[in-house]
Amino acid sequence: MLDKTIKQKLVVIGNGMAGIRTVEALLERAPDLYDISVFGAEPYGNYNRILLSPVLAGEKTVDDIILNTEQWYADNQITLHQGETVTMIDRRTCEVVTEQGERYPYDRLLIATGSNPIVLPVPGAALPGVIGFRDIKDVEHMVEASTQHRHAVVIGGGLLGLEAANGLMKRGMKVTVVHLLDTLMERQLDPVAGGMLRKSLEERGLEFKMPAQTQTILGETHVSGVRFTDGTEVAADLVVMAVGIRPNIELAKKAGLHCERGIVVSDTMQTYDGRIYAVGECVQHRRQTYGLVAPLFDQAKVCANHLAMKGFATYDGSVVSTKLKVTGIDLFSAGDFAPGPDKEEIVLQDANRGVYKRIILRDKKIVGTVLYGDTIDGPWYFQHMRDGTDVSHMRERLVFGSAHLGDGGHGGQNSIAAMSDDAEICGCNGVCKGAIVQAISEKKLFTLDDVRAHTKASSSCGSCTGLVEQVLAFTLGGDYSAAPKVKPVCACTDHSHDDVRRVIVEQQLKSIPDVMRFMDWKTPNGCHSCRPALNYYLLATWPGEYRDDQQSRFINERVHANIQKDGTYSVVPRMWGGVTTPSELRAIADVADKFNIPTVKVTGGQRIDLLGVKKEDLPAVWADLNEAGMVSGHAYAKGLRTVKTCVGSEWCRFGTQDSTGLGIKIEKFMWGSWTPAKVKLAVSGCPRNCAESTCKDVGVICVDSGYEIHFAGAAGLHIKGTEFLTKTATEDEALEIIVALTQLYREQGWYLERMYKWCDRVGFDNIHKQVVDDVTNRKALFERFAYSQQFSQSDPWAARARRGVDRNEFTPMAELELA
Amino acid sequence: MTPWFQVGPLDDIPHLGSRVVRTPRGNIAVFRTDGDEVFALDDRCPHKQGPLSQGIVHGRRVTCPLHNFVIELATGQAVAPDQGCTPSYPAKVEDGVVWLSLQQTAAA
């Protein structure tokens, strides 16, 4: 047992982002376990090193990028040894020794010493005026030089070198970038994109000397120029070496820890001495070293987990992407894009427009991406790359990106670099680019979820997610969303939707508390995200057996009407196939008059919406509508909504089949069914497609010889045409396939995942096989749907209007007269 | 002394649910947790005045049905990073009956 009064001692060497992120994560998990002390060589609190470039460019100040103030260390009872350098680790006595000869004992040691800039071994490298680009001191040096001198040379045409050059140029210096190879950023870019980048940087005023190898740095008491191996010289008052970084492993090496390029660590971030952990740029994990922030954060999480003695997490390496933080240049790169015999490439190049996209595939999967000029789809490609999605089905459209281009709400913008600070990015919540950038800097945000929580940007409809990710990447220099491959349902659990669905079936779990107990939910009764999901999964898995939990349903599904901004509701009666009658219309008019319903509106799904109904009036409104033969239209449901139709062969001179009749038949069969997200159908009587079938979840196009069935379309947040599933000769066959398809979606879809996203995830071929090719399976799916319908096809309005179900819901509990 | 008003039997409020009490000063939402605690808040989210009584109750919190603001039942405070506070009122259960006071709890 641990004695509370004598805590274990954790010593952290390195006061940088990796070390402190680990400490933060540790404090979240086990706040009282350790007595923590941190040694940092720099005289600052922890700061955001990736934002040094904007500081250099004069877009931010040093204060802007401090992540943890001294107060933070004090608040968390962390002893900060600022400016004290650890010179030795005594593993025998478990102590660290500082420059001053002080010894501090540890029970656990965390090495987070980061990396050092590589200094080229050329004559003159030690002259005053020759620096690296690594810390605040270097930036201060450069800023000062820019006020006194004119000529700067940056050696290194990689990410860091270009950002340094851009910053110095913005500070008024004349800058020459020297690069050993003939492609800029060759680790991230291919020659074409590298050339485009060079051209646009030249237009901004940078000069390049490449390929060129530095031979000598010239100068007597201060640098005065650079000479190259070809004999040419360039004058310089400041030389910045940005040729790369080298893991800082001196200390670890001296202590006898196994090191190669970096300190070698296991999947639990432990070195060969189990008491000693290491994270960040100083480590080597599975032969890889990392110089970007996202992997450090992944490592920090795993390391903190172990330090907190919850040792189950492992670090499996990271896939990283890169952005260049130079204002006005859009560039995105991720993965492996070196040509190879087993790789295929898809390239789009439009030099005049300044757009270049290259996608590298191996084995039907994206393994690398280089984007220049138009990077809106960077995160989308990156997601597919990390997920290892089979992209063969979307191959022909792949290079054009996701449906983002068709998305509305952000003025058709698809490049954030050119956007001004007051440009609106999130049209739902009115969030501008400037506000997002400010929140990222001021509130020290790193992930998409952070940004959503703090600014609300992309937290409603999500169509601007790509843009917000870009702002994030642009501000921070990489993709920090780093969403884990398997997304948990919500913060209440680590389990994914698939896990939950599988376990419900395997373990025969039949209530929400059972699922939560069995799957170790972290909260006592979930949250507004997971409870409705679990309720749906149980309902879809155990039809007739599971009792629907009303308190786990969103209000609209609980009261069978749509809540409006003022707390009133809207009521939409079903109109089968969009067909109505004079008596129904009269009844609707009467209801609107009787209950003073302020707005009557025709919907996009071919029915009529009564808006502004008071909650307590709902049962009476429903009773009157029921009286005229109308039932709930489920316009509020994650379930079957409408079947839109055109008039078809009954009236239309072009109609090939009775599309209205088929639509009604489908709607009568499928109404009342619950699905992962809403399902909208349409039936068009000919290929003129007046019912707009090709942007629905399921759409039928009648042709002379039968019925084409299309599915997985969308016309909301995303615009997506449907996929052609199959063609049938008869109505009955069409119905069977549509029902089987919907049932498969009900069984596989994640809660709130629309059909087109489900199709994207599980693959068209897979669905086609189960619904079209395998007839036995299709019939079984159909039967399961039909079975569950006997429990769901009763009008919820009638139950409430006539039989008093949920009466409490619609009346106040009490009315107090007194003030 | 704060006057207490009897508003009805506890069982009239579903577990993890809420009911509205009408008062001359506006609607008050009375919540019941899984553990039969009761809390009372103004039935207005500090964000855009959404009716909190219509939200999903989880733990000792409620999620506003309009824009998913999460509000602490005990204090009316929005859960960070959201900001704002809804007035709260003392509520208690005695012998299966819910009592409510209209004396606003001092804002935190």
Side-chain angles (χ1 to χ4, degrees):
Chain A
M1 282 302 285
L2 287 166
D3 186 339
K4 279 257 172 195
T5 53
I6 311 170
K7 291 188 195 170
Q8 299 202 72
K9 289 186 186 343
L10 171 67
V11 171
V12 182
I13 307 175
N15 185 24
M17 295 174 75
I20 298 306
R21 187 70 168 200
T22 310
V23 171
E24 283 178 333
L26 173 61
L27 290 173
E28 264 173 41
R29 290 165 172 77
D32 303 315
L33 198 53
Y34 292 99
D35 202 354
I36 304 173
S37 37
V38 177
F39 290 83
E42 285 189 69
Y44 299 95
N46 175 36
Y47 62 90
N48 189 343
R49 202 178 293 280
I50 43 188
L51 291 182
L52 282 174
S53 299
V55 174
L56 176 62
E59 292 159 3
K60 287 191 183 354
T61 67
V62 169
D63 283 346
D64 288 342
I65 66 167
I66 299 288
L67 289 172
N68 304 81
T69 59
E70 287 175 31
Q71 190 58 43
W72 178 84
Y73 295 88
D75 290 347
N76 289 289
Q77 281 115 45
I78 296 168
T79 315
L80 176 60
H81 300 270
Q82 212 161 272
E84 266 185 83
T85 309
V86 173
T87 51
M88 197 182 99
I89 301 165
D90 188 337
R91 287 169 55 202
R92 199 176 39 84
T93 60
C94 289
E95 287 173 318
V96 296
V97 185
T98 67
E99 217 169 7
Q100 290 80 13
E102 302 271 354
R103 299 178 81 90
Y104 297 89
Y106 66 81
D107 295 298
R108 290 277 185 281
L109 180 67
L110 174 61
I111 304 178
T113 45
S115 61
N116 293 323
I118 293 174
V119 177
L120 291 175
V122 293
L127 278 171
V130 181
I131 58 166
F133 179 23
R134 181 65 196 160
D135 52 32
I136 291 181
K137 183 171 73 352
D138 294 331
V139 171
E140 284 171 346
H141 194 129
M142 283 192 256
V143 171
E144 200 192 315
S146 72
T147 60
Q148 297 168 3
H149 300 297
R150 174 92 185 97
H151 296 281
V153 166
V154 175
I155 304 178
L159 193 72
L160 208 57
L162 294 179
E163 289 184 2
N166 179 63
L168 290 169
M169 183 178 68
K170 284 206 152 175
R171 295 239 174 222
M173 295 190 88
K174 185 172 173 305
V175 185
T176 307
V177 176
V178 179
H179 195 46
L180 188 60
L181 304 170
D182 54 8
T183 301
L184 291 174
M185 291 179 65
E186 76 285 349
R187 284 179 63 183
Q188 288 87 21
L189 298 185
D190 58 13
V192 179
M196 293 172 89
L197 175 64
R198 175 177 176 173
K199 186 164 157 269
S200 73
L201 288 171
E202 276 171 347
E203 281 164 10
R204 286 152 185 269
L206 281 184
E207 286 178 19
F208 290 90
K209 179 155 179 65
M210 55 192 274
Q213 189 174 359
T214 308
Q215 189 189 59
T216 311
I217 295 179
L218 306 168
E220 295 291 323
T221 54
H222 189 273
V223 62
S224 65
V226 180
R227 181 186 299 139
F228 304 99
T229 45
D230 63 1
T232 55
E233 289 179 14
V234 177
D237 314 304
L238 173 72
V239 172
V240 180
M241 285 203 192
V243 290
I245 54 170
R246 187 175 282 140
N248 185 1
I249 59 174
E250 291 314 310
L251 204 54
K253 235 175 160 175
K254 261 196 339 206
L257 294 171
H258 180 56
C259 296
E260 289 172 9
R261 270 178 306 140
I263 305 165
V264 177
V265 292
S266 65
D267 287 358
T268 52
M269 305 316 293
Q270 278 159 305
T271 66
Y272 276 48
D273 179 338
R275 288 169 185 273
I276 304 181
Y277 293 76
V279 291
E281 292 179 343
C282 61
V283 308
Q284 178 179 334
H285 171 262
R286 298 192 190 172
R287 317 184 75 105
Q288 280 286 331
T289 59
Y290 295 99
L292 294 165
V293 120
L296 314 193
F297 285 4
D298 292 345
Q299 295 172 0
K301 246 187 259 174
V302 172
C303 184
N305 225 299
H306 274 260
L307 285 169
M309 303 187 179
K310 300 188 192 298
F312 50 79
T314 57
Y315 177 64
D316 304 319
S318 301
V319 185
V320 293
S321 70
T322 324
K323 283 277 295 193
L324 181 68
K325 293 187 296 298
V326 171
T327 308
I329 291 180
D330 263 321
L331 183 160
F332 179 94
S333 135
D336 171 13
F337 43 83
D342 53 343
K343 290 184 194 156
E344 299 169 66
E345 302 187 3
I346 303 176
V347 178
L348 180 145
Q349 187 172 2
D350 183 343
N352 274 350
R353 204 161 60 91
V355 171
Y356 173 72
K357 299 180 176 190
R358 182 157 156 251
I359 296 140
I360 299 91
L361 305 177
R362 187 173 52 216
D363 210 13
K364 299 178 183 172
K365 291 169 186 160
I366 299 176
V367 294
T369 310
V370 181
L371 305 175
Y372 188 89
D374 176 357
T375 56
I376 181 82
D377 285 309
W380 183 72
Y381 291 125
F382 191 48
Q383 182 71 43
H384 282 306
M385 194 171 111
R386 279 188 307 213
D387 292 351
T389 316
D390 178 346
V391 295
S392 42
H393 188 66
M394 49 177 139
R395 184 174 173 138
E396 60 199 56
R397 297 187 306 266
L398 196 62
V399 76
F400 303 109
S402 70
H404 280 142
L405 295 177
D407 294 351
H410 35 76
Q413 284 280 10
N414 56 5
S415 151
I416 65 114
M419 287 169 93
S420 61
D421 274 357
D422 58 1
E424 188 172 68
I425 289 200
C426 175
C428 293
N429 296 306
V431 189
C432 301
K433 177 185 164 190
I436 300 175
V437 172
Q438 193 183 356
I440 292 170
S441 322
E442 280 178 10
K443 303 208 167 130
K444 332 291 186 199
L445 311 182
F446 287 101
T447 67
L448 180 63
D449 285 341
D450 288 347
V451 175
R452 283 185 174 152
H454 281 90
T455 68
K456 304 282 164 212
S458 87
S459 65
S460 293
C461 82
S463 80
C464 62
T465 302
L467 284 174
V468 176
E469 282 179 318
Q470 272 205 75
V471 177
L472 193 62
F474 190 79
T475 314
L476 296 176
D479 182 0
Y480 297 92
S481 61
K485 271 189 178 177
V486 186
K487 250 181 96 174
V489 174
C490 66
C492 298
T493 176
D494 292 326
H495 297 292
S496 67
H497 285 275
D498 277 340
D499 285 344
V500 173
R501 296 211 76 160
R502 184 175 44 78
V503 169
I504 286 174
V505 177
E506 283 176 4
Q507 300 297 325
Q508 307 256 314
L509 302 176
K510 295 194 177 168
S511 76
I512 292 177
D514 282 353
V515 176
M516 290 182 173
R517 242 189 324 268
F518 191 85
M519 300 193 80
D520 288 328
W521 237 246
K522 297 181 207 162
T523 47
N525 34 52
C527 70
H528 61 269
S529 298
C530 59
R531 283 233 309 277
L534 295 182
N535 191 57
Y536 167 72
Y537 293 151
L538 289 162
L539 200 61
T541 312
W542 312 115
E545 227 177 310
Y546 173 67
R547 218 176 119 246
D548 204 336
D549 177 22
Q550 294 300 312
Q551 299 307 325
S552 295
R553 284 206 179 257
F554 182 61
I555 184 65
N556 290 357
E557 293 186 348
R558 203 166 79 219
V559 302
H560 298 273
N562 291 57
I563 196 165
Q564 303 298 314
K565 61 185 279 190
D566 62 352
T568 63
Y569 288 82
S570 83
V571 168
V572 183
R574 200 167 278 289
M575 281 181 182
W576 308 99
V579 177
T580 185
T581 61
S583 68
E584 281 185 358
L585 291 174
R586 247 178 237 116
I588 289 172
D590 289 344
V591 163
D593 279 343
K594 180 170 164 190
F595 295 93
N596 287 316
I597 292 171
T599 301
V600 181
K601 180 170 185 327
V602 174
T603 72
Q606 301 187 335
R607 21 199 217 178
I608 289 175
D609 195 354
L610 301 161
L611 289 135
V613 182
K614 292 191 216 58
K615 191 180 182 191
E616 57 270 29
D617 286 344
L618 286 172
V621 167
W622 294 335
D624 284 8
L625 293 169
N626 276 167
E627 201 62 44
M630 283 177 277
V631 296
S632 166
H634 290 88
Y636 45 81
K638 309 296 174 214
L640 181 91
R641 294 277 179 95
T642 56
V643 182
K644 189 172 173 176
T645 69
C646 68
V647 291
S649 58
E650 202 187 339
W651 292 96
C652 177
R653 64 205 163 100
F654 299 118
T656 61
Q657 310 282 355
D658 177 14
S659 48
T660 317
L662 176 58
I664 292 171
K665 196 185 263 182
I666 295 170
E667 192 167 352
K668 293 243 171 184
F669 193 86
M670 294 179 71
W671 75 274
S673 58
W674 300 103
T675 45
K678 62 184 169 187
V679 173
K680 294 176 170 182
L681 276 66
V683 184
S684 289
C686 80
R688 286 171 192 76
N689 192 16
C690 293
E692 297 163 345
S693 301
T694 47
C695 62
K696 295 290 184 283
D697 295 289
V698 184
V700 179
I701 307 269
C702 299
V703 289
D704 202 52
S705 55
Y707 306 84
E708 284 180 13
I709 299 171
H710 299 250
F711 81 114
L717 290 175
H718 303 284
I719 307 278
K720 190 179 167 296
T722 43
E723 309 283 345
F724 171 69
L725 182 64
T726 189
K727 192 180 148 190
T728 68
T730 67
E731 277 194 356
D732 286 348
E733 232 184 316
L735 181 68
E736 184 175 283
I737 284 175
I738 291 168
V739 166
L741 172 69
T742 309
Q743 179 63 19
L744 189 64
Y745 167 57
R746 295 182 74 222
E747 292 175 9
Q748 294 184 340
W750 296 345
Y751 191 66
L752 299 186
E753 179 180 54
R754 288 290 295 272
M755 205 179 257
Y756 68 98
K757 293 205 165 158
W758 162 67
C759 174
D760 215 22
R761 176 167 63 83
V762 305
F764 173 88
D765 294 341
N766 177 345
I767 294 169
H768 190 273
K769 214 174 289 163
Q770 294 206 52
V771 174
V772 180
D773 301 341
D774 184 342
V775 180
T776 322
N777 190 57
R778 179 206 307 170
K779 290 198 184 303
L781 283 164
F782 180 91
E783 287 309 323
R784 289 204 289 279
F785 186 92
Y787 175 77
S788 84
Q789 280 300 74
Q790 59 179 302
F791 307 103
S792 60
Q793 282 197 329
S794 82
D795 177 27
W797 289 359
R800 282 155 186 78
R802 308 264 177 83
R803 301 198 295 279
V805 170
D806 282 348
R807 187 177 292 133
N808 275 348
E809 183 71 67
F810 302 97
T811 51
M813 184 173 188
E815 303 208 18
L816 300 183
E817 301 281 323
L818 298 157
Chain B
M1 268 306 284
T2 321
W4 288 90
F5 299 95
Q6 193 174 330
V7 293
L10 177 66
D11 285 342
D12 275 6
I13 314 174
H15 273 121
L16 297 175
S18 169
R19 295 286 302 279
V20 168
V21 172
R22 291 236 169 104
T23 81
R25 289 191 233 150
N27 287 353
I28 293 178
V30 183
F31 300 90
R32 178 182 182 185
T33 67
D34 211 19
D36 285 343
E37 294 171 290
V38 292
F39 296 99
L41 299 175
D42 257 356
D43 195 14
R44 283 180 311 151
C45 180
H47 178 223
K48 302 239 166 140
Q49 287 73 56
L52 296 173
S53 57
Q54 313 293 294
I56 289 181
V57 179
H58 46 98
R60 298 171 88 192
R61 293 172 171 178
V62 63
T63 300
C64 176
L66 292 195
H67 306 98
N68 288 341
F69 259 53
V70 181
I71 308 291
E72 292 284 359
L73 295 179
T75 61
Q77 285 282 356
V79 175
D82 288 334
Q83 291 169 354
C85 186
T86 289
S88 59
Y89 302 87
K92 61 183 180 183
V93 184
E94 272 171 17
D95 298 329
V97 173
V98 181
W99 293 80
L100 176 67
S101 155
L102 295 190
Q103 193 79 46
Q104 264 185 30
T105 313

